[in-house]
């Protein structure tokens, strides 16, 4: 029975997502191990989806069910995860709790934490091993937040409890999975995101996008929200609803970010602060360049002048733009001008985005033109960063600080260049530069 408990405990799944044979399904239902519950609650003019929490009236519709040949309500908000209809229940495990294996020393990581990291790691461990604890880890880009989590997670796993690290971005999940597998080789680990092909799997450690948490309830002893300020998490109350529901009532919640938003700070959550990168070098302070022309689909002259005078020609280059069309056009122009360089564009709608990011990581590309999908959560050891149209509304303070944080992350190359090119200085640009200078000052650099 433990194999079913591991698969289904803490989950809310449609029948087809259970992936059971009909005899297995009938047996588990008859034994009251799997319990059906309404997927939608319809009361007069109000409705609520029991999977995603959606209550917005216009995000419900009617659909002719192919099973019962009748019209039923369905939720439009979470339809990308499979249509939830009022005639199709969600199934919840009511059997015994899963028993995870006893691992004496789950952590196999030979790295060393700095003094700042050790202090933060100790506080994180205290939060993870307590009940109903909340903690905000405010650490600069490149501080080594992932490594600070290791000791606390090891304690939780050794106690045969369950951990989830959730993040708004699929790219972050893809990057974190191999790092955690290397650090915790004896622990079952699963990475969940749209298109991962693993969304039916469960494990003692789950790395997931926040949207996948719609399929969970009272599942995890520890919930870690990475990049809590990132879009869409900070702007979508349904994602916060899913996060809180996926955590056990006795569980602990840890928030990670380099750029906490005011709404989070107002909650007065206990905070541990790390103002310095793990290698001890300062954050690169952006050079802000004003030009008196609109930047459309060609890099301005000031970009080419800077490019020729770069301090390191060996570094790869990340160019951030606000729109998909601009990214595609700029990549073509840059490739035409720099015929000896391998250039590509990447964005959320690109079917080859995973391959291109990996090519850049493997140094098969020299220049990558990107939208904000790579603003955070990805690490490249030696890059320069340019933001074109830095005054665009998509580049708020948090985005610009995170983008600047892509440079100088390696101890072998801690001084990458960051350039913000704009034609109208915004508060976001000024605040981002000020925030970076403040962090360096607080770190004594």
């Amino acid at each position: 029975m433990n194999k079913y408990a591991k698969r289904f405990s803490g989950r809310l799944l449609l029948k087809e997502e259970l992936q059971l044979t009909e005899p297995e399904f009938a047996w588990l239902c008859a034994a009251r191990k799997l319990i059906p519950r309404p997927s939608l609650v319809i009361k007069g003019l109000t409705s609520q989806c029991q999977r995603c929490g959606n209550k917005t009236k216009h995000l419900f519709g009617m659909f002719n069910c192919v099973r019962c040949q009748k019209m039923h309500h369905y939720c439009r908000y979470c339809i990308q995860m499979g249509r939830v209809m009022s005639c199709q229940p969600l199934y919840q495990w009511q059997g015994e709790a899963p028993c995870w294996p006893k691992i004496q020393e789950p952590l196999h990581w030979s790295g060393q934490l700095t003094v700042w990291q050790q202090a933060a790691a100790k506080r994180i461990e205290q939060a993870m091993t307590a009940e109903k604890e909340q903690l905000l880890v405010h650490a600069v880009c490149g501080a080594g937040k992932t490594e600070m989590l290791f000791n606390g997670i090891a304690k939780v796993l050794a106690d045969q409890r369950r951990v989830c690290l959730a993040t708004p971005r699929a790219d972050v999940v893809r990057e974190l999975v191999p790092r955690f597998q290397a650090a915790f080789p004896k622990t079952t680990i699963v990475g969940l995101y749209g298109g991962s092909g693993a969304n039916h799997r469960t494990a003692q450690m789950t790395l997931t996008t926040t949207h996948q948490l719609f399929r969970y309830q009272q599942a995890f002893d520890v919930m870690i929200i990475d990049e809590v300020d990132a879009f869409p998490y900070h702007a979508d109350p349904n994602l916060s609803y899913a996060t809180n529901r996926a955590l056990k009532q006795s569980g602990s919640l840890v928030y990670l970010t380099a750029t906490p938003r005011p709404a989070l700070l107002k909650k007065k959550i206990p905070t541990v602060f790390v103002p310095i990168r793990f290698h001890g070098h300062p954050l690169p302070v952006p050079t802000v360049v004003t030009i008196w022309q609109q930047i459309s689909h060609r890099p301005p002259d000031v970009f080419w002048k800077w490019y020729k005078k770069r301090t390191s020609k060996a570094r790869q280059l990340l160019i951030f733009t606000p729109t998909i069309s601009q990214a595609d056009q700029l990549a073509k122009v840059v490739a035409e001008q720099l015929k000896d360089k391998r250039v590509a564009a990447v964005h959320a709608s690109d079917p080859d985005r995973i391959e291109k990011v990996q090519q850049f990581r493997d140094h098969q590309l020299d220049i990558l033109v990107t939208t904000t999908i790579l603003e955070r959560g990805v690490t490249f050891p030696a890059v320069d960063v340019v933001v074109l149209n830095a005054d665009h509304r998509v580049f708020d303070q948090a985005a610009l600080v995170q983008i600047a944080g892509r440079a100088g992350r390696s101890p072998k190359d801690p001084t990458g260049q960051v350039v913000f090119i704009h034609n109208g200085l915004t508060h976001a640009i000024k605040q981002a530069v000020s925030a970076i200078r403040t962090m360096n000052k607080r770190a004594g650099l």
Side-chain angles (χ1 to χ4, degrees), residues 162-272:
R162 199 172 177 191
V163 179
C164 177
L165 189 153
T167 176
R169 305 289 177 88
D171 298 280
V172 179
V173 178
R174 284 189 284 265
E175 175 157 311
L176 288 177
V177 167
R179 293 172 65 183
F180 276 91
Q181 287 174 333
F184 300 94
K186 299 178 183 178
T187 301
T188 56
I189 298 174
V190 65
L192 307 179
Y193 51 88
S196 67
N199 294 338
H200 63 286
R201 293 176 52 202
T202 55
Q204 191 176 5
M205 185 187 301
T206 299
L207 310 178
T208 180
T209 55
T210 48
H211 279 86
Q212 296 299 323
L213 293 178
F214 289 144
R215 294 190 174 103
Y216 288 88
Q217 179 172 355
Q218 299 285 313
F220 303 106
D221 299 285
V222 172
M223 175 69 70
I224 304 160
I225 307 295
D226 192 18
E227 308 294 355
V228 66
D229 63 299
F231 182 85
Y233 185 85
H234 77 90
D236 190 338
N238 287 31
L239 294 176
S240 179
Y241 164 88
T243 299
N244 292 325
R245 188 185 63 183
L247 182 65
K248 291 181 179 178
Q249 292 182 352
S250 60
S252 296
L253 182 58
V254 178
Y255 298 101
L256 307 178
T257 182
T259 48
R261 295 180 184 270
L264 181 61
L265 295 175
K266 287 180 181 178
K267 294 181 178 181
K268 304 294 184 182
I269 298 170
T271 301
V272 59

Side-chain angles (χ1 to χ4, degrees), residues 386-411:
V386 173
V387 183
L388 297 177
N389 279 333
D391 51 320
H392 193 280
R393 63 182 180 276
V394 305
F395 296 124
D396 61 11
Q397 177 192 346
L400 290 172
V401 170
Q402 292 282 356
I403 288 170
R406 298 313 99 202
R409 298 179 72 93
S410 170

Side-chain angles (χ1 to χ4, degrees), residues 16-57:
E16 56 266 27
E17 293 174 325
L18 297 170
Q19 296 195 348
L20 292 169
T21 65
E22 281 300 325
E24 282 181 305
F25 175 73
W27 172 61
L28 290 171
C29 288
R32 305 293 291 171
K33 302 297 184 182
L34 282 175
I35 304 295
R37 55 177 290 182
S39 56
L40 301 180
V41 173
I42 312 294
K43 292 184 179 180
L45 297 177
T46 62
S47 304
Q48 183 177 17
C49 176
Q50 299 301 292
R51 181 168 69 178
C52 69
N54 169 43
K55 295 181 181 179
T56 305
K57 186 176 181 179

Side-chain angles (χ1 to χ4, degrees), residues 295 318-321 385-391 395 400 403-404 418-422:
I295 303 172
L318 277 173
I319 302 175
F320 285 84
T321 67
V385 175
V386 173
V387 183
L388 297 177
N389 279 333
D391 51 320
F395 296 124
L400 290 172
I403 288 170
V418 181
V419 182
F420 294 164
I421 300 176
H422 66 91

Side-chain angles (χ1 to χ4, degrees), residues 349-405:
S349 301
D350 187 347
D352 301 321
R353 62 186 275 193
I354 299 174
E355 290 78 5
K356 289 179 181 178
V357 172
Q358 189 58 50
Q359 287 173 355
F360 191 71
R361 202 183 302 280
D362 295 338
H363 290 267
Q364 296 172 11
L365 292 173
D366 302 299
I367 300 173
L368 192 60
V369 185
T370 179
T371 57
T372 55
I373 63 164
L374 296 184
E375 76 177 34
R376 62 179 76 217
V378 292
T379 299
F380 305 110
V383 296
D384 287 331
V385 175
V386 173
V387 183
L388 297 177
N389 279 333
D391 51 320
H392 193 280
R393 63 182 180 276
V394 305
F395 296 124
D396 61 11
Q397 177 192 346
L400 290 172
V401 170
Q402 292 282 356
I403 288 170

